[in-house]
Amino acid sequence: MNQNKLLEITDLQVSFRTYGGDVQAVRGVSFHVNEGETVAIVGESGCGKSVTAKSIMRLIPQPPGSFKGGSILFQGKEITSLDEKDMYSIRGSQMGMIFQDPMTSLNPTMTVGKQIAEMLTEHRKISAEEAKKEAIHLLSLVGIPNPEARWKQYPHEYSGGMRQRVMIALAIACRPALLIADEPVTALDVTIQAQILDLMEDLQQQFGTAILIITHDLGVVAEIAQRVVVMYAGKVVESGSVEDIFYNPQHPYTWGLLQSIPKLDVDRTQELIPIQGTPPDLFSPPKGCAFAKRCRYAMEVCKEHQPESTQVNGNHYAACWLLDERAVKVDRFAELIEEDANRAAEKTA
């Protein structure tokens, strides 16, 4: 895999002005995406995943949103300082985006084919006839049956899965270097989810496109990603390869995420364990670790000081005071096994 950095985000900070004050939605996020790879951003609702994705595309309305600091480098070019005209030339042609709800993202008054053709004539500067042929080809490429007839239809005439395929066709129409997918399979049933993920992987291999996928579904992460960025309360709390995050997680929040999903290799009667408590108020974020109030391992230092990102090994990093050499070492997986055994014993007692 080519390891050249296509996208590099450093200390990104984004806030939203409201009547109640500023909501600090993204609070110093840093990560990168290499050419041709797939990176997943995971975390519960409200952690800043979608705001980060839309910031890359410069789709945050200003006001109420505002960039408070940080850098977004795309192909070596600073995105945050570009004017709208220059950003428009990048959007669609070099960056594509698949939105969460295709029904609200597609224009209901235009045929599907016309929407794709408009993208092609605008960014690739081809004739209307060439755009029509390419639109039909794209619909065929993403698995739309009988594309010659269906390109004349409107979005409401498509099923949910087919509308998502149309969104993918729009996103890849100009062969972008980066494809951002914001919860692309959330509203679809599991069979269609698998088809959409397979399609994205096939297109990535065909065009060499890098993918940044935003999701809360760790099953999707395991299926498609090579690296994972775990976000909580507007910050990155852990990042690493899929193997690092699934088999050697280091942050208590990541432990909680993994503990709350069902596993096929355990007793089906095993209870899922939710993360207790609620995320902090981002009007006034805590001065220490944002996860401290929900963390069973929280120490006094966690409440008063934010932990620095610590290298676990290679490209695996986590921001947790438990990784400090002075902290008590926690064998979390041994504890999980003990907890499961205790619950099983209580049920049979």
Side-chain angles (χ1 to χ4, degrees):
M1 180 185 294
N2 193 329
Q3 293 300 306
N4 290 332
K5 290 182 181 179
L6 177 69
L7 174 73
E8 187 171 13
I9 297 176
T10 306
D11 195 29
L12 180 65
Q13 300 164 52
V14 182
S15 295
F16 291 89
R17 173 74 67 178
T18 72
Y19 290 111
D22 283 357
V23 178
Q24 300 174 44
V26 175
R27 306 186 298 131
V29 165
S30 299
F31 66 90
H32 70 276
V33 179
N34 294 322
E35 293 179 358
E37 78 166 339
T38 301
V39 175
I41 301 180
V42 302
E44 60 193 316
S45 298
C47 70
K49 304 185 303 293
S50 293
V51 174
T52 299
K54 290 179 179 178
S55 297
I56 297 168
M57 294 285 286
R58 289 276 300 276
L59 293 176
I60 300 294
Q62 302 183 58
S66 63
F67 289 94
K68 295 295 187 180
S71 168
I72 303 175
L73 288 176
F74 177 69
Q75 295 179 327
K77 184 181 296 183
E78 179 58 57
I79 293 295
T80 59
S81 61
L82 295 181
D83 59 29
E84 184 55 30
K85 181 180 179 181
D86 290 335
M87 194 63 217
Y88 182 79
S89 68
I90 292 176
R91 250 186 246 121
S93 62
Q94 298 175 51
M95 291 183 188
M97 188 162 186
I98 306 170
F99 293 95
Q100 184 171 349
D101 185 356
M103 195 59 195
T104 58
S105 302
L106 294 169
N107 188 333
T109 67
M110 291 174 64
T111 64
V112 164
K114 187 175 181 181
Q115 293 185 57
I116 299 174
E118 189 176 75
M119 168 78 76
L120 294 165
T121 55
E122 181 66 27
H123 289 287
R124 288 173 58 177
K125 309 301 180 185
I126 59 178
S127 68
E129 187 61 31
E130 290 175 315
K132 175 183 174 180
K133 291 180 181 179
E134 181 64 13
I136 292 173
H137 171 68
L138 285 165
L139 289 176
S140 175
L141 194 65
V142 298
I144 300 295
N146 196 12
E148 292 83 1
R150 304 217 62 159
W151 87 289
K152 299 177 183 178
Q153 294 181 322
Y154 290 86
H156 72 270
E157 298 178 86
Y158 282 64
S159 67
M162 291 176 69
R163 284 195 292 267
Q164 195 63 289
R165 290 174 185 270
V166 171
M167 286 299 301
I168 294 174
L170 277 164
I172 66 167
C174 298
R175 310 292 190 265
L178 176 66
L179 179 62
I180 301 173
D182 187 6
E183 301 278 11
V185 295
T186 297
L188 307 175
D189 64 63
V190 291
T191 303
I192 303 301
Q193 282 185 17
Q195 293 175 2
I196 294 296
L197 293 176
D198 287 344
L199 172 61
M200 289 172 62
E201 286 188 292
D202 290 343
L203 293 172
Q204 180 182 41
Q205 293 174 7
Q206 185 172 345
F207 301 124
T209 304
I211 297 175
L212 178 64
I213 185 167
I214 316 299
T215 183
H216 63 271
D217 189 334
L218 293 177
V220 171
V221 174
E223 174 74 21
I224 197 172
Q226 284 93 50
R227 287 194 299 111
V228 185
V229 176
V230 182
M231 286 187 64
Y232 181 76
K235 298 181 76 69
V236 174
V237 296
E238 188 165 4
S239 63
S241 68
V242 169
E243 290 76 16
D244 290 332
I245 300 303
F246 279 81
Y247 299 110
N248 187 31
Q250 296 294 313
H251 197 284
Y253 178 64
T254 311
W255 297 339
L257 290 179
L258 293 170
Q259 206 173 348
S260 64
I261 60 174
K263 301 174 183 62
L264 297 178
D265 59 347
V266 298
D267 183 358
R268 291 185 180 183
T269 63
Q270 180 184 1
E271 295 180 6
L272 299 181
I273 304 172
I275 302 175
Q276 299 297 327
T278 57
D281 183 358
L282 294 184
F283 279 110
S284 180
K287 60 180 179 178
C289 174
F291 191 62
K293 285 190 175 181
R294 305 174 74 183
C295 179
R296 62 183 295 180
Y297 306 104
M299 302 171 283
E300 285 303 316
V301 67
C302 303
K303 301 171 185 176
E304 298 297 326
H305 303 281
Q306 291 189 17
E308 295 293 328
S309 184
T310 301
Q311 183 179 28
V312 180
N313 56 62
N315 290 318
H316 187 188
Y317 292 83
C320 181
W321 283 112
L322 289 175
L323 295 173
D324 190 283
E325 60 184 11
R326 295 164 292 181
V328 175
K329 301 307 173 189
V330 176
D331 188 346
R332 180 55 182 151
F333 286 109
E335 290 191 3
L336 287 177
I337 292 171
E338 184 180 350
E339 289 172 4
D340 291 342
N342 290 339
R343 279 193 298 273
E346 289 173 1
K347 285 188 175 182
T348 56

